[in-house]
Amino acid sequence: MSASQERWSLPAERRQALGVALVALVVFGAAWTLLHWGFYTRDQIIDTPVYQDYGDAMVNGQVPYADFRVEYPPAALPVFVLSAIGDRHDPQTYRRNFERLMVLCGLLAVAGVAIALGALNAGPERLFGALGFAALAPLALGSVILTRFDLWPTALLMLGLAAVLAGRKRTGLGVLGLAVAAKIFPVVVVPPALVYIWRRYGRREALLCAAVFAGIVAACFVPFVVLSPGGVWDSLHRQADRPLQIESLGSSFLLVAHQLGAWTVHLNLSHGSQNQGGSLADALAAIQSLVQAAVVIALWGAFARGPAMPERLLRYAAACVVAFVAFGKVLSPQFLIWLIPLVPLVRGRRGLLASGVLALALVLTQLWFPYRYWRLALQQDAISSWLVFARDIVLVGLVFVLAMPRRAAPRTT
């Protein structure tokens, strides 16, 4: 073999990883196609009309936050406006355009899993397991994945983490900055990522990466803040001020109490969602926000106290995102999209258990959403109430699976 051929040929393990990744991408595409058939098409609850309103307004020259209210951060806007180009205000055309973008984002998320595993020199069993889970899990969650833009920040999160693991630290933090500017939740993985970089590459590199992250976030937000500071503030405040959403952990306890005759649900239909009303629900929402912050900060501290190893970074990144989902006062079904490519990256028996627990949470969600959602939200349907409660408890269990300290090996005498 010539020197040129040697330079361009891949090692056997890299060729194998590339082959598995390509198969996973095909499987994801097949799963996406299946979501358009059979019972997956029943009773869908979609967000694309809201996205289309945003997109059509921007195509018509209106400025987000200044000329119309926007619920989401600035880096979400490209998805909305790209889907609106050429849609002629037709909902079906818009949805078709939107789904094409989302399937691309899903493929990028799976590619992020493959890149991360390649950086870790993962073996074939781990490659097949993690990539297979990420590719097939949409079938366990259901049609909600088709009409929510959450695959966009999820893909950015995965690519950012993969870049950090591959040694492209500044690129990785830049992509994470874009992810945070698309939907706030990826911010919970940034402190562990910076600690990891500090420990392995030094303080200067960590500070540079932090500056890149802050610069990207600022580049996304500042133009809109200049044009309409009140509009951007209103968007952020509306998200922070949301009441106890009907599917959240605290609400699930109230739903079960309602089924047992110990509580009467008072609906609060606001902020574009169905929520629990009343002083107790408001108190639970405040408590959950405190618990959410406390658990995430505790996970940051636990990571900082241990060795800065790639596998630990992935485990704590997954734990932080799961904790953000499980303990938040809002827990929409699409939030589980964030976990699909991230949790199966965790190594070993813990990773297998975590993936199994996540799969259970996905299936429990699909058993009531979207088919029984309105019965849950408006009538407090008993079956849906218990399913939501079970799902939320499973997600709390997933936090413990990921965060539980590793048992020390017994000492030999």
Side-chain angles (χ1 to χ4, degrees), residues 212-227:
V212 170
F213 169 80
I216 294 295
V217 174
C220 293
F221 274 91
V222 167
F224 295 102
V225 172
V226 170
L227 291 170

Side-chain angles (χ1 to χ4, degrees), residues 178-227:
L178 189 58
V180 170
K183 202 158 189 176
I184 302 299
F185 78 91
V187 74
V188 299
V189 309
V190 173
L194 290 174
V195 169
Y196 172 85
I197 294 167
W198 188 309
R199 294 274 188 82
R200 294 179 72 91
Y201 302 100
R203 180 179 66 176
R204 181 177 180 276
E205 185 63 28
L207 292 175
L208 286 171
C209 289
V212 170
F213 169 80
I216 294 295
V217 174
C220 293
F221 274 91
V222 167
F224 295 102
V225 172
V226 170
L227 291 170

Side-chain angles (χ1 to χ4, degrees), residues 10-20 121-124 127:
L10 290 172
E13 60 273 13
R14 291 294 178 89
R15 289 199 302 271
Q16 183 181 55
L18 180 61
V20 175
N121 295 316
L127 284 167

Side-chain angles (χ1 to χ4, degrees), residues 19-32:
V20 175
L22 291 174
V23 170
L25 294 175
V26 172
V27 171
F28 179 86
W32 190 273

Side-chain angles (χ1 to χ4, degrees), residues 133 343-344 346 349-359 398 401-402:
F133 185 98
V343 170
V346 178
R349 285 180 291 181
R350 185 197 298 268
L352 289 173
L353 177 59
S355 297
V357 174
L358 175 58
L398 181 55
V401 168
L402 292 168

Side-chain angles (χ1 to χ4, degrees), residues 105 114 135 219:
C105 291

Side-chain angles (χ1 to χ4, degrees), residues 354-413:
S355 297
V357 174
L358 175 58
L360 177 59
L362 298 175
V363 172
L364 285 170
T365 300
Q366 189 175 176
L367 287 176
W368 60 269
F369 189 92
Y371 321 111
R372 307 180 70 93
Y373 176 76
W374 292 115
R375 278 180 278 180
L376 167 75
L378 303 179
Q379 304 167 18
Q380 294 77 59
D381 170 66
I383 294 175
S384 303
S385 297
W386 285 104
L387 286 171
V388 170
F389 177 74
R391 190 276 309 271
D392 292 351
I393 294 300
V394 167
L395 286 173
V396 173
L398 181 55
V399 176
F400 282 99
V401 168
L402 292 168
M404 188 169 48
R406 185 177 180 180
R407 287 188 299 177
R411 293 183 178 180
T412 57
T413 58

